[in-house]
Amino acid sequence: MQGPMNLTRFIYETQKAFPTATGDFSAILNQIALAAKIVSLEVNRAGIMEDVLGYQGEVNASGDAQKKLDVIADNVFFNALEHIEKFCIMGSEENEQPVKLPAQYKKGRYAILFDPLDGSSNIDFNVSIGTIFSVYRRVTPEGGDGTLQDLLQPGYKQVAAGYVLYGSSTMMTFTTGQGVNMFTLDPQIGEFILTHPDIRIPDTTRYYSINEGNSANWDEKLATYVDSLKTEDNIHGKVLSGRYIGSMVADVHRTLLGGGFFAYPSDRVNTSGKLRLMYEANPMAMIIEQAGGRAIYGEGDILGIIPRDLHQKVPVYLGSKRDIDALQKAVFGK
Ligand code: AFP
């Protein structure tokens, strides 16, 4: 009998297929999985902790609790990754500046960016949230500390990207440039098990995903396109259902498995949208493209953007190739 394909075995077998592999990625992915398990536990306990400590109902309780979890998750990821000597510099959505690694550790060949708890305003409502990560090969000379230059690379240079979804189950999805694989945490044994190998984003869908609360500020062409999804006059030839969680990891996860598109466009108020290029858009774009989909900012691909700032925002439209092709043609004339 073949045992379950747990994450460690998957990494080991994938590594065997590349005789020149150094094992760096194995260490990185295993430590990300460890951090994800710890954050998953914290997220699951968040509601109880609030009740037990009697914070509920206090004016700032929700805001504080949410901030606390953001900081906890940030520390958990940092602590899991700082000592493995695979990185030369880190970037966290929680920190304005690049994060240097402690002096006592050797500096490695990679740079990592992570958003430790994306969608955290949803915590109060027990809605799914997630962690997003993105890995680059360093471009500064090996040996010493990395710099901003190692982090500020275009998305097509990512060597790995992934997310962890803390939902009704905890799932870890990642790509190292050879397709996308998804693992589900078995809470009984504390292991991530491969449940969705080599995911391909479907061509057909029942859904579209965008915050229609902002539609009064949208470009007219986008409004017209989204309206067409509520009639049969669209590429799917049927009325679609709107699904919008407001937690990018959860919305992209559904899009990856269920097709269609997820968008956070620019509008008259948010002229570059809301999502961060380095922490949210690039890693999700790599995953979606590796699964056969497309991810654009408008006229061009997200992965081609030359970044200028660690926290810069970018409009995002990603999903099934057919849907993004149609949206790009209708809204951006390309
Ligand atoms: P928070 O971390 O503040 O909850 O923001 C989450 C997020 O960056 C992303 O995960 C969502 O897709 C997006 O914002 C939702 O934004 P809107 O609430 O404006 O729709």
Side-chain angles (χ1 to χ4, degrees), residues 115 117-122 211 214 244 246-249 251 262 264 274-275 280:
D115 183 350
L117 216 51
D118 186 65
S120 53
S121 62
N122 285 307
N211 185 347
N214 296 329
Y244 187 77
S247 185
M248 189 194 193
V249 175
D251 280 317
F262 160 79
Y264 206 110
K274 177 184 181 193
L275 303 177
E280 294 169 311

PDB file of all heavy atoms in Angstrom, residues 115 117-122 211 214 244 246-249 251 262 264 274-275 280, ligand 1:
ATOM      1  N   ASP A 115       3.214  38.036   3.683  1.00  0.00           N
ATOM      2  CA  ASP A 115       2.116  38.747   4.342  1.00  0.00           C
ATOM      3  C   ASP A 115       1.606  37.754   5.375  1.00  0.00           C
ATOM      4  O   ASP A 115       0.939  36.776   5.036  1.00  0.00           O
ATOM      5  CB  ASP A 115       1.028  39.091   3.310  1.00  0.00           C
ATOM      6  CG  ASP A 115      -0.100  39.896   3.944  1.00  0.00           C
ATOM      7  OD1 ASP A 115      -0.117  40.013   5.183  1.00  0.00           O
ATOM      8  OD2 ASP A 115      -0.961  40.393   3.197  1.00  0.00           O
ATOM      9  N   LEU A 117      -0.594  37.589   7.817  1.00  0.00           N
ATOM     10  CA  LEU A 117      -2.028  37.324   8.023  1.00  0.00           C
ATOM     11  C   LEU A 117      -2.847  38.264   7.146  1.00  0.00           C
ATOM     12  O   LEU A 117      -3.213  39.367   7.561  1.00  0.00           O
ATOM     13  CB  LEU A 117      -2.383  37.515   9.510  1.00  0.00           C
ATOM     14  CG  LEU A 117      -3.429  36.544  10.055  1.00  0.00           C
ATOM     15  CD1 LEU A 117      -3.089  35.102   9.750  1.00  0.00           C
ATOM     16  CD2 LEU A 117      -3.604  36.736  11.543  1.00  0.00           C
ATOM     17  N   ASP A 118      -3.100  37.822   5.944  1.00  0.00           N
ATOM     18  CA  ASP A 118      -3.842  38.652   4.994  1.00  0.00           C
ATOM     19  C   ASP A 118      -5.343  38.491   5.245  1.00  0.00           C
ATOM     20  O   ASP A 118      -5.818  37.387   5.514  1.00  0.00           O
ATOM     21  CB  ASP A 118      -3.503  38.216   3.566  1.00  0.00           C
ATOM     22  CG  ASP A 118      -4.124  39.143   2.550  1.00  0.00           C
ATOM     23  OD1 ASP A 118      -3.736  40.318   2.521  1.00  0.00           O
ATOM     24  OD2 ASP A 118      -5.022  38.701   1.811  1.00  0.00           O
ATOM     25  N   GLY A 119      -6.056  39.599   5.148  1.00  0.00           N
ATOM     26  CA  GLY A 119      -7.512  39.560   5.352  1.00  0.00           C
ATOM     27  C   GLY A 119      -7.875  39.605   6.819  1.00  0.00           C
ATOM     28  O   GLY A 119      -8.965  39.182   7.224  1.00  0.00           O
ATOM     29  N   SER A 120      -6.970  40.136   7.638  1.00  0.00           N
ATOM     30  CA  SER A 120      -7.166  40.012   9.086  1.00  0.00           C
ATOM     31  C   SER A 120      -8.357  40.807   9.616  1.00  0.00           C
ATOM     32  O   SER A 120      -8.805  40.556  10.727  1.00  0.00           O
ATOM     33  CB  SER A 120      -5.884  40.359   9.839  1.00  0.00           C
ATOM     34  OG  SER A 120      -5.422  41.605   9.419  1.00  0.00           O
ATOM     35  N   SER A 121      -8.889  41.736   8.819  1.00  0.00           N
ATOM     36  CA  SER A 121     -10.095  42.426   9.299  1.00  0.00           C
ATOM     37  C   SER A 121     -11.283  41.459   9.347  1.00  0.00           C
ATOM     38  O   SER A 121     -12.326  41.757   9.908  1.00  0.00           O
ATOM     39  CB  SER A 121     -10.416  43.634   8.409  1.00  0.00           C
ATOM     40  OG  SER A 121     -10.682  43.209   7.112  1.00  0.00           O
ATOM     41  N   ASN A 122     -11.094  40.268   8.772  1.00  0.00           N
ATOM     42  CA  ASN A 122     -12.155  39.251   8.794  1.00  0.00           C
ATOM     43  C   ASN A 122     -12.137  38.375  10.043  1.00  0.00           C
ATOM     44  O   ASN A 122     -13.052  37.585  10.260  1.00  0.00           O
ATOM     45  CB  ASN A 122     -12.028  38.333   7.569  1.00  0.00           C
ATOM     46  CG  ASN A 122     -12.504  39.014   6.307  1.00  0.00           C
ATOM     47  OD1 ASN A 122     -13.611  39.525   6.265  1.00  0.00           O
ATOM     48  ND2 ASN A 122     -11.660  39.036   5.292  1.00  0.00           N
ATOM     49  N   ASN A 211     -15.424  43.425  -5.432  1.00  0.00           N
ATOM     50  CA  ASN A 211     -16.192  44.179  -4.436  1.00  0.00           C
ATOM     51  C   ASN A 211     -17.092  45.195  -5.143  1.00  0.00           C
ATOM     52  O   ASN A 211     -16.649  46.286  -5.506  1.00  0.00           O
ATOM     53  CB  ASN A 211     -15.232  44.883  -3.473  1.00  0.00           C
ATOM     54  CG  ASN A 211     -15.978  45.584  -2.356  1.00  0.00           C
ATOM     55  OD1 ASN A 211     -17.194  45.752  -2.416  1.00  0.00           O
ATOM     56  ND2 ASN A 211     -15.248  45.998  -1.339  1.00  0.00           N
ATOM     57  N   ASN A 214     -17.759  49.089  -4.516  1.00  0.00           N
ATOM     58  CA  ASN A 214     -16.967  50.198  -5.076  1.00  0.00           C
ATOM     59  C   ASN A 214     -17.407  50.580  -6.482  1.00  0.00           C
ATOM     60  O   ASN A 214     -16.782  51.428  -7.123  1.00  0.00           O
ATOM     61  CB  ASN A 214     -15.472  49.803  -5.141  1.00  0.00           C
ATOM     62  CG  ASN A 214     -14.880  49.566  -3.757  1.00  0.00           C
ATOM     63  OD1 ASN A 214     -15.304  50.189  -2.791  1.00  0.00           O
ATOM     64  ND2 ASN A 214     -13.911  48.669  -3.660  1.00  0.00           N
ATOM     65  N   TYR A 244     -17.789  37.102  -3.103  1.00  0.00           N
ATOM     66  CA  TYR A 244     -16.693  37.966  -2.677  1.00  0.00           C
ATOM     67  C   TYR A 244     -16.551  37.883  -1.168  1.00  0.00           C
ATOM     68  O   TYR A 244     -17.477  38.231  -0.429  1.00  0.00           O
ATOM     69  CB  TYR A 244     -16.942  39.413  -3.109  1.00  0.00           C
ATOM     70  CG  TYR A 244     -15.764  40.319  -2.833  1.00  0.00           C
ATOM     71  CD1 TYR A 244     -14.650  40.304  -3.659  1.00  0.00           C
ATOM     72  CD2 TYR A 244     -15.765  41.169  -1.729  1.00  0.00           C
ATOM     73  CE1 TYR A 244     -13.547  41.119  -3.402  1.00  0.00           C
ATOM     74  CE2 TYR A 244     -14.668  41.989  -1.467  1.00  0.00           C
ATOM     75  CZ  TYR A 244     -13.567  41.956  -2.311  1.00  0.00           C
ATOM     76  OH  TYR A 244     -12.491  42.763  -2.047  1.00  0.00           O
ATOM     77  N   GLY A 246     -13.637  39.077   0.551  1.00  0.00           N
ATOM     78  CA  GLY A 246     -12.902  40.220   1.101  1.00  0.00           C
ATOM     79  C   GLY A 246     -11.643  39.780   1.810  1.00  0.00           C
ATOM     80  O   GLY A 246     -11.063  40.513   2.598  1.00  0.00           O
ATOM     81  N   SER A 247     -11.225  38.566   1.497  1.00  0.00           N
ATOM     82  CA  SER A 247     -10.002  38.001   2.040  1.00  0.00           C
ATOM     83  C   SER A 247      -9.325  37.384   0.819  1.00  0.00           C
ATOM     84  O   SER A 247      -9.810  36.392   0.271  1.00  0.00           O
ATOM     85  CB  SER A 247     -10.400  36.934   3.059  1.00  0.00           C
ATOM     86  OG  SER A 247      -9.300  36.425   3.715  1.00  0.00           O
ATOM     87  N   MET A 248      -8.239  38.015   0.366  1.00  0.00           N
ATOM     88  CA  MET A 248      -7.705  37.637  -0.946  1.00  0.00           C
ATOM     89  C   MET A 248      -7.369  36.155  -1.043  1.00  0.00           C
ATOM     90  O   MET A 248      -7.619  35.517  -2.066  1.00  0.00           O
ATOM     91  CB  MET A 248      -6.468  38.472  -1.278  1.00  0.00           C
ATOM     92  CG  MET A 248      -6.027  38.274  -2.709  1.00  0.00           C
ATOM     93  SD  MET A 248      -4.380  38.913  -3.004  1.00  0.00           S
ATOM     94  CE  MET A 248      -4.312  38.900  -4.787  1.00  0.00           C
ATOM     95  N   VAL A 249      -6.785  35.613   0.024  1.00  0.00           N
ATOM     96  CA  VAL A 249      -6.386  34.200  -0.035  1.00  0.00           C
ATOM     97  C   VAL A 249      -7.616  33.327  -0.315  1.00  0.00           C
ATOM     98  O   VAL A 249      -7.587  32.437  -1.169  1.00  0.00           O
ATOM     99  CB  VAL A 249      -5.685  33.766   1.272  1.00  0.00           C
ATOM    100  CG1 VAL A 249      -5.391  32.279   1.259  1.00  0.00           C
ATOM    101  CG2 VAL A 249      -4.393  34.553   1.470  1.00  0.00           C
ATOM    102  N   ASP A 251     -10.538  34.273  -1.622  1.00  0.00           N
ATOM    103  CA  ASP A 251     -11.128  34.552  -2.944  1.00  0.00           C
ATOM    104  C   ASP A 251     -10.287  33.937  -4.074  1.00  0.00           C
ATOM    105  O   ASP A 251     -10.828  33.419  -5.051  1.00  0.00           O
ATOM    106  CB  ASP A 251     -11.287  36.066  -3.141  1.00  0.00           C
ATOM    107  CG  ASP A 251     -12.524  36.611  -2.426  1.00  0.00           C
ATOM    108  OD1 ASP A 251     -13.587  35.965  -2.500  1.00  0.00           O
ATOM    109  OD2 ASP A 251     -12.434  37.675  -1.782  1.00  0.00           O
ATOM    110  N   PHE A 262     -11.086  36.804 -10.104  1.00  0.00           N
ATOM    111  CA  PHE A 262     -11.111  37.638  -8.905  1.00  0.00           C
ATOM    112  C   PHE A 262     -10.452  38.952  -9.307  1.00  0.00           C
ATOM    113  O   PHE A 262      -9.425  38.945  -9.998  1.00  0.00           O
ATOM    114  CB  PHE A 262     -10.308  36.983  -7.777  1.00  0.00           C
ATOM    115  CG  PHE A 262      -9.898  37.971  -6.711  1.00  0.00           C
ATOM    116  CD1 PHE A 262     -10.799  38.397  -5.745  1.00  0.00           C
ATOM    117  CD2 PHE A 262      -8.607  38.516  -6.698  1.00  0.00           C
ATOM    118  CE1 PHE A 262     -10.429  39.334  -4.781  1.00  0.00           C
ATOM    119  CE2 PHE A 262      -8.228  39.446  -5.731  1.00  0.00           C
ATOM    120  CZ  PHE A 262      -9.148  39.855  -4.777  1.00  0.00           C
ATOM    121  N   TYR A 264      -9.422  43.106  -7.983  1.00  0.00           N
ATOM    122  CA  TYR A 264      -9.466  44.324  -7.159  1.00  0.00           C
ATOM    123  C   TYR A 264      -8.946  45.440  -8.049  1.00  0.00           C
ATOM    124  O   TYR A 264      -7.741  45.662  -8.161  1.00  0.00           O
ATOM    125  CB  TYR A 264      -8.650  44.213  -5.860  1.00  0.00           C
ATOM    126  CG  TYR A 264      -9.231  45.170  -4.833  1.00  0.00           C
ATOM    127  CD1 TYR A 264      -9.916  44.715  -3.723  1.00  0.00           C
ATOM    128  CD2 TYR A 264      -9.165  46.547  -5.042  1.00  0.00           C
ATOM    129  CE1 TYR A 264     -10.504  45.597  -2.834  1.00  0.00           C
ATOM    130  CE2 TYR A 264      -9.757  47.436  -4.153  1.00  0.00           C
ATOM    131  CZ  TYR A 264     -10.421  46.954  -3.061  1.00  0.00           C
ATOM    132  OH  TYR A 264     -11.018  47.839  -2.198  1.00  0.00           O
ATOM    133  N   LYS A 274      -6.033  48.279  -4.243  1.00  0.00           N
ATOM    134  CA  LYS A 274      -5.729  48.174  -2.808  1.00  0.00           C
ATOM    135  C   LYS A 274      -4.627  47.151  -2.520  1.00  0.00           C
ATOM    136  O   LYS A 274      -3.939  47.225  -1.513  1.00  0.00           O
ATOM    137  CB  LYS A 274      -7.004  47.750  -2.073  1.00  0.00           C
ATOM    138  CG  LYS A 274      -6.778  47.554  -0.595  1.00  0.00           C
ATOM    139  CD  LYS A 274      -8.010  47.050   0.129  1.00  0.00           C
ATOM    140  CE  LYS A 274      -7.705  46.913   1.614  1.00  0.00           C
ATOM    141  NZ  LYS A 274      -8.732  46.159   2.320  1.00  0.00           N
ATOM    142  N   LEU A 275      -4.476  46.206  -3.424  1.00  0.00           N
ATOM    143  CA  LEU A 275      -3.596  45.072  -3.116  1.00  0.00           C
ATOM    144  C   LEU A 275      -2.132  45.406  -3.376  1.00  0.00           C
ATOM    145  O   LEU A 275      -1.801  46.193  -4.262  1.00  0.00           O
ATOM    146  CB  LEU A 275      -4.030  43.852  -3.926  1.00  0.00           C
ATOM    147  CG  LEU A 275      -5.498  43.452  -3.685  1.00  0.00           C
ATOM    148  CD1 LEU A 275      -5.890  42.283  -4.580  1.00  0.00           C
ATOM    149  CD2 LEU A 275      -5.725  43.088  -2.217  1.00  0.00           C
ATOM    150  N   GLU A 280       1.025  40.468  -2.225  1.00  0.00           N
ATOM    151  CA  GLU A 280      -0.227  39.799  -2.569  1.00  0.00           C
ATOM    152  C   GLU A 280      -0.299  39.453  -4.064  1.00  0.00           C
ATOM    153  O   GLU A 280      -0.525  38.304  -4.440  1.00  0.00           O
ATOM    154  CB  GLU A 280      -1.415  40.701  -2.181  1.00  0.00           C
ATOM    155  CG  GLU A 280      -1.520  40.902  -0.667  1.00  0.00           C
ATOM    156  CD  GLU A 280      -2.518  41.984  -0.259  1.00  0.00           C
ATOM    157  OE1 GLU A 280      -2.468  43.098  -0.808  1.00  0.00           O
ATOM    158  OE2 GLU A 280      -3.355  41.716   0.625  1.00  0.00           O
TER     159      GLU A 280
HETATM  160  P1  AFP B   1      -7.299  43.348   5.472  1.00  0.00           P
HETATM  161  O1  AFP B   1      -6.036  42.580   5.771  1.00  0.00           O
HETATM  162  O2  AFP B   1      -7.281  44.755   5.971  1.00  0.00           O
HETATM  163  O3  AFP B   1      -8.521  42.603   5.918  1.00  0.00           O
HETATM  164  O4  AFP B   1      -7.369  43.493   3.887  1.00  0.00           O
HETATM  165  C1  AFP B   1      -7.495  42.349   3.094  1.00  0.00           C
HETATM  166  C2  AFP B   1      -7.199  42.670   1.671  1.00  0.00           C
HETATM  167  O5  AFP B   1      -5.927  43.250   1.529  1.00  0.00           O
HETATM  168  C3  AFP B   1      -7.315  41.437   0.770  1.00  0.00           C
HETATM  169  O6  AFP B   1      -7.081  40.230   1.429  1.00  0.00           O
HETATM  170  C4  AFP B   1      -8.716  41.514   0.220  1.00  0.00           C
HETATM  171  O7  AFP B   1      -8.841  40.941  -1.045  1.00  0.00           O
HETATM  172  C5  AFP B   1      -9.006  43.000   0.185  1.00  0.00           C
HETATM  173  O8  AFP B   1      -8.172  43.581   1.173  1.00  0.00           O
HETATM  174  C6  AFP B   1     -10.434  43.334   0.469  1.00  0.00           C
HETATM  175  O9  AFP B   1     -10.625  44.706   0.411  1.00  0.00           O
HETATM  176  P2  AFP B   1     -12.088  45.351   0.474  1.00  0.00           P
HETATM  177  O10 AFP B   1     -12.577  45.148   1.873  1.00  0.00           O
HETATM  178  O11 AFP B   1     -11.866  46.800   0.145  1.00  0.00           O
HETATM  179  O12 AFP B   1     -12.956  44.670  -0.542  1.00  0.00           O
END
